[in-house]
Amino acid sequence: KDYSAVHNKAYEWRAQTAAWQPIPNVPSSLPLDGRLASIAVGVGQYAYLFGGYTVAKDHTKISSPDNFRYDSENRRYEAIAPMPVAVDDAVALAYKNRYIYLVSGWHNDGNVNLTQLYDVKHNAWVQASPFPGRAVFGHAGGIVDDTMIICDGVAVEYYPEKRRGFHDMTAGYEGGKGGG
């Protein structure tokens, strides 16, 4: 597939019908509608959708600054505050039905070690403690009780005489109480 295969179609699982249902297309402020590697997490009755990236015909990538709250009852998206640094391929972790942590990820040209914290009650962002491990994308994570766990991912290696490379990182980090 190439850049033209990227789209903004979206679907949701409806338990009542035990089937996937199309929902409105994901909006975008960027010239290209579709996006890859967005991050989503549920809090209460809403799904929160963050970032992702677009790919142009010339293969350039742009991390999307767009963030939305999706209301499945009314089938509509509402723009929420833009994250301080647009990321894709990050981990989104909901905490106490109020906060969403976006951990590490990719921004335009490389990995970032940021932990960005979104408050759903105030529609506002703050920077939490930076991710203490190596900055990665494509990692996994979760919060159990008050402990955040982040595992693995892909790191970038930069070389002076050749093109950058990517390699798997087998790593983990367990955050303290409240995670960050």
Side-chain angles (χ1 to χ4, degrees):
K1 295 187 178 189
D2 64 13
Y3 78 98
S4 64
V6 179
H7 61 79
N8 63 346
K9 297 175 188 169
Y11 301 85
E12 70 181 352
W13 177 260
R14 289 283 180 168
Q16 303 89 333
T17 60
W20 287 99
Q21 303 287 322
I23 60 175
N25 292 344
V26 178
S28 178
S29 67
L30 298 175
L32 299 171
D33 286 335
R35 61 171 109 177
L36 302 162
S38 295
I39 310 103
V41 66
V43 176
Q45 68 190 48
Y46 300 106
Y48 289 83
L49 178 67
F50 302 100
Y53 67 91
T54 64
V55 179
K57 186 175 184 176
D58 67 359
H59 305 287
T60 56
K61 293 173 45 176
I62 297 173
S63 295
S64 174
D66 296 336
N67 304 307
F68 299 98
R69 181 175 75 177
Y70 178 72
D71 179 346
S72 64
E73 285 184 26
N74 296 304
R75 300 187 130 200
R76 69 170 191 239
Y77 297 93
E78 177 185 351
I80 60 173
M83 64 186 106
V85 176
V87 292
D88 53 77
D89 272 312
V91 168
L93 303 170
Y95 183 65
K96 298 205 176 210
N97 281 326
R98 178 170 173 186
Y99 302 103
I100 300 172
Y101 288 91
L102 289 184
V103 181
S104 202
W106 185 270
H107 172 75
N108 288 341
D109 297 313
N111 291 337
V112 295
N113 71 340
L114 303 173
T115 301
Q116 302 180 87
L117 179 60
Y118 177 71
D119 182 337
V120 302
K121 182 177 178 183
H122 293 109
N123 188 30
W125 290 89
V126 296
Q127 292 289 346
S129 299
F131 180 59
R134 183 155 179 198
V136 293
F137 69 91
H139 44 310
I143 294 179
V144 178
D145 296 324
D146 289 329
T147 301
M148 178 188 298
I149 299 172
I150 304 293
C151 301
D152 301 342
V154 177
V156 180
E157 276 306 325
Y158 295 97
Y159 305 102
E161 303 298 324
K162 63 180 183 176
R163 190 171 184 211
R164 70 180 178 207
F166 301 92
H167 65 88
D168 295 343
M169 289 290 298
T170 303
Y173 173 75
E174 181 177 327
K177 298 290 182 191

